[in-house]
Amino acid sequence: MKTILMSLAFGLMLTAQPYGRPGYVEPRGAYVNNGFAERISRGERMGLITPREASRLWKMERDLRFETERAYRSGPGITPRERDHLARMAARLDAAITHEMRDRERFRR
């Protein structure tokens, strides 16, 4: 019983460690790989997003990818200021996708 508890505690310690240490940098493409492209294409296929809305969302997604790559190319990781900027862009894109999928504008073929 003691070994089971010790191994469980050790396993929890290992899984929690990377996110708690100072200076942790997200893996490359952390803001890009949030499923935005999948959500946009699914909305297009289901007819929930019109072509005009989809083109605007694809532009926002492309800008987020470009800014993320630019931030990673600028040095060894991203600065807190760049991280905040990317997080705001990702939140704005997430809200826009959610809004467009729920605004009851349908694309009928």
Side-chain angles (χ1 to χ4, degrees):
M1 182 71 169
K2 192 179 205 181
T3 49
I4 293 173
L5 288 176
M6 288 301 288
S7 62
L8 181 63
F10 184 69
L12 289 174
M13 184 182 69
L14 285 179
T15 58
Q17 186 182 10
Y19 299 104
R21 75 173 188 247
Y24 174 75
V25 178
E26 293 89 5
R28 189 172 189 84
Y31 295 104
V32 176
N33 196 11
N34 284 337
F36 293 134
E38 294 171 15
R39 289 176 60 198
I40 296 170
S41 61
R42 186 178 344 116
E44 282 181 303
R45 280 193 316 268
M46 294 173 63
L48 299 174
I49 298 176
T50 64
R52 184 179 218 164
E53 293 169 344
S55 66
R56 187 176 63 84
L57 293 173
W58 282 118
K59 182 187 179 309
M60 289 174 70
E61 193 265 343
R62 185 178 60 242
D63 291 344
L64 177 61
R65 272 189 291 119
F66 175 77
E67 287 294 321
T68 303
E69 287 300 317
R70 187 192 59 74
Y72 277 110
R73 273 189 260 123
S74 69
I78 58 175
T79 64
R81 186 175 184 177
E82 291 171 332
R83 185 179 302 121
D84 291 342
H85 177 68
L86 293 172
R88 280 193 305 274
M89 286 180 73
R92 197 173 301 127
L93 177 57
D94 182 45
I97 293 171
T98 302
H99 173 74
E100 297 302 346
M101 289 183 78
R102 295 180 180 176
D103 67 354
R104 296 182 186 258
E105 290 180 16
R106 306 276 190 221
F107 178 68
R108 308 243 188 256
R109 293 178 195 200

